């Protein structure tokens, strides 16, 4: 079982999942143990979907800008205090 402390750690575990490696167990301090099951791989890219929808394109752009400026909240921060 992998201990996940950051969003980057969690995304790394998810990106390592595949049809052959479809179950991942992680421990998030303060929350507990999670079992993640990849039920079906999605081979479609989200890029065309984002570019075809002006609202999604703006939302992703705003999110990336907030992250650059340090205005974004990490998932770990939200887990610690969901009322931020």
């Amino acid at each position: 079982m992998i201990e996940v402390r950051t969003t980057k750690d969690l995304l790394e575990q998810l990106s390592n999942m595949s049809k052959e490696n479809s179950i991942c167990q992680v421990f998030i301090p303060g929350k507990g143990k999670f079992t993640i099951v990849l039920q079906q791989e999605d081979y479609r890219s989200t890029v065309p979907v984002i570019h075809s929808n002006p609202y999604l394109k703006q939302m992703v752009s705003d999110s990336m800008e907030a992250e650059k400026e340090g205005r974004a909240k990490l998932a770990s921060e939200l887990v610690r205090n969901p009322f931020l």
Side-chain angles (χ1 to χ4, degrees):
M1 183 166 306
I2 305 293
E3 185 172 314
V4 174
R5 292 193 169 273
T6 66
T7 306
K8 183 180 176 184
D9 292 343
L10 181 58
L11 289 176
E12 183 177 322
Q13 294 306 312
L14 294 176
S15 67
N16 290 334
M17 295 178 76
S18 66
K19 189 175 184 178
E20 293 79 30
N21 181 25
S22 62
I23 297 177
C24 175
Q25 292 185 324
V26 297
F27 174 75
I28 300 175
K31 277 304 194 187
K33 298 176 185 178
F34 292 82
T35 300
I36 303 167
V37 179
L38 176 63
Q39 294 180 336
Q40 179 179 348
E41 289 187 75
D42 186 4
Y43 295 102
R44 299 174 300 149
S45 172
T46 58
V47 173
V49 174
I50 291 170
H51 286 289
S52 69
N53 184 323
Y55 175 73
L56 284 177
K57 190 173 182 179
Q58 184 62 46
M59 193 168 69
V60 169
S61 177
D62 292 347
S63 177
M64 291 172 68
E65 188 64 31
E67 184 178 9
K68 283 181 192 174
E69 295 174 358
R71 294 183 288 122
K73 296 275 185 220
L74 297 175
S76 59
E77 294 173 309
L78 295 174
V79 168
R80 274 188 251 125
N81 186 354
F83 301 106
L84 287 177

